[in-house]
């Protein structure tokens, strides 16, 4: 009886993980093709998810509410971002990194060790870029939202969401360049589209309009710049 229940729980766990990856890719595709609508839908999805979670918690606690609404929402979004990082972002960049092995089938492509090196550099650079960008956002975002004393307005979860989706898009560009045999100039310019995605998401992360320029510089350097800088350093070291 116990093994059967364990198998069912394992199947249910895998189903949840696949569902989360699919939902993550759905949001990513919408953010790529319609950034404004994508960020708005992601915000609404987060609000609906938080309200459902809050209502369940209130029912279980008998209606007692000890935390402020805004603080509880920030904590829930941060928890949701951590979950999407594990079950959405990490599997996606792993697949993008593994696409380096596709080049082995092309004439003049790298050998196994060369492809493995490319895969490692891609995965590690995207992973480390999330950490460096998250640190930069945590340092500068409270100033850009115009709230120096009370940081409840600043949502670390939403900032992490923006970082993850932008870096996943960079991973998809790498995957596309690995799959396409011929060199296409358009692919080389696709990373600049990340700047447009960031610009359309300034309201999502709560930046004041007067600080939009500073936010664009900070976000572009911390997300796009850190990814390519780390990749350059790894290529130089390995």
């Amino acid at each position: 009886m116990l093994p059967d229940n364990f198998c069912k729980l394992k199947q249910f766990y895998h189903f949840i993980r696949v569902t989360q990856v699919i939902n993550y890719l759905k949001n990513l595709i919408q953010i790529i093709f319609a950034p404004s609508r994508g960020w708005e839908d992601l915000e609404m999805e987060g609000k609906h998810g938080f309200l459902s979670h809050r209502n369940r918690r209130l029912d279980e606690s008998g209606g007692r509410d000890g935390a402020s609404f805004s603080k509880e929402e920030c904590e829930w979004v941060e928890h949701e971002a951590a979950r999407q990082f594990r079950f959405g972002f990490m599997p996606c960049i792993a697949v993008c990194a593994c696409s380096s092995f596709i080049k082995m089938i092309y004439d003049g492509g790298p050998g196994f060790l060369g492809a493995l090196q490319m895969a490692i550099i891609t995965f590690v650079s995207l992973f480390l870029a999330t950490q460096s960008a998250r640190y930069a956002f945590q340092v500068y975002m409270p100033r850009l939202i115009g709230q120096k004393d009370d940081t409840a307005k600043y949502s670390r979860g939403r900032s992490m969401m923006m970082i993850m989706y932008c870096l996943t898009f960079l991973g998809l560009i790498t995957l596309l360049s690995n799959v396409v045999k011929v060199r296409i100039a358009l692919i080389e310019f696709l990373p600049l589209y990340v700047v447009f995605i960031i610009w359309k998401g300034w309201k999502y992360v709560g930046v004041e309009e007067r600080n939009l320029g500073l936010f664009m510089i900070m976000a572009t350097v911390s997300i796009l710049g850190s990814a390519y800088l780390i990749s350059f350093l790894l290529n130089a070291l390995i």
Side-chain angles (χ1 to χ4, degrees), residues 194-225:
V194 173
V195 180
F196 182 70
I197 293 176
I198 294 172
W199 175 53
K200 288 297 184 178
W202 67 274
K203 292 182 179 179
Y204 173 75
V205 292
V207 175
E208 290 188 343
E209 189 172 2
R210 63 187 177 89
N211 294 327
L212 180 57
L214 293 174
F215 166 73
M216 289 299 301
I217 296 173
M218 184 277 297
T220 302
V221 171
S222 62
I223 296 175
L224 198 60

Side-chain angles (χ1 to χ4, degrees), residues 1 3-13:
M1 186 68 179
D4 292 339
N5 291 334
F6 177 76
C7 291
K8 290 180 180 179
L9 288 173
K10 188 176 181 180
Q11 291 175 356
F12 178 74
Y13 174 75

Side-chain angles (χ1 to χ4, degrees), residues 9-209:
L9 288 173
K10 188 176 181 180
Q11 291 175 356
F12 178 74
Y13 174 75
H14 287 304
F15 172 77
I16 294 297
R17 289 190 62 177
V18 171
T19 304
Q20 290 171 345
V21 172
I22 293 174
N23 185 64
Y24 183 84
L25 290 175
K26 176 183 71 67
N27 292 333
L28 175 64
I29 291 172
Q30 188 167 11
I31 288 173
I32 292 173
F33 289 101
S36 295
R37 182 65 182 274
W39 291 121
E40 291 174 1
D41 288 351
L42 191 63
E43 182 177 3
M44 292 303 299
E45 180 181 313
K47 288 182 177 180
H48 289 317
F50 164 68
L51 290 175
S52 298
H53 165 77
R54 190 170 190 269
N55 290 333
R56 288 195 302 269
R57 188 185 62 78
L58 290 175
D59 291 339
E60 293 172 357
S61 63
R64 294 187 299 273
D65 187 13
S68 64
F69 186 88
S70 59
K71 182 179 180 181
E72 187 178 353
E73 183 179 12
C74 286
E75 291 176 351
W76 185 87
V77 174
E78 189 173 353
H79 173 76
E80 179 67 15
R83 185 178 63 84
Q84 290 200 25
F85 178 80
R86 293 192 304 270
F87 301 121
F89 176 76
M90 294 295 285
C92 285
I93 66 170
V95 172
C96 294
C98 290
S99 67
S100 300
F101 292 100
I102 297 177
K103 285 192 170 183
M104 293 173 58
I105 66 176
Y106 299 143
D107 293 335
F112 176 77
L113 292 180
L116 179 62
Q117 176 180 324
M118 292 169 58
I120 293 173
I121 291 174
T122 299
F123 182 84
V124 174
S125 61
L126 291 174
F127 174 78
L128 292 180
T130 61
Q131 308 308 311
S132 61
R134 182 174 65 173
Y135 176 77
F137 270 67
Q138 288 178 354
V139 172
Y140 294 105
M141 279 298 291
R143 309 173 189 178
L144 297 177
I145 63 176
Q147 203 169 19
K148 297 181 180 179
D149 299 326
D150 181 13
T151 58
K153 186 180 176 183
Y154 165 55
S155 173
R156 290 184 295 182
R158 290 192 179 187
S159 296
M160 190 61 181
M161 291 281 198
M162 172 173 283
I163 294 167
M164 288 190 298
Y165 282 112
C166 290
L167 289 175
T168 306
F169 176 64
L170 289 182
L172 290 179
I173 296 174
T174 301
L175 185 148
L176 182 62
S177 64
N178 289 333
V179 171
V180 178
K181 182 178 180 179
V182 296
R183 189 180 182 87
I184 302 176
L186 178 62
I187 297 178
E188 305 296 330
F189 292 96
L190 280 179
L192 296 177
Y193 188 69
V194 173
V195 180
F196 182 70
I197 293 176
I198 294 172
W199 175 53
K200 288 297 184 178
W202 67 274
K203 292 182 179 179
Y204 173 75
V205 292
V207 175
E208 290 188 343
E209 189 172 2

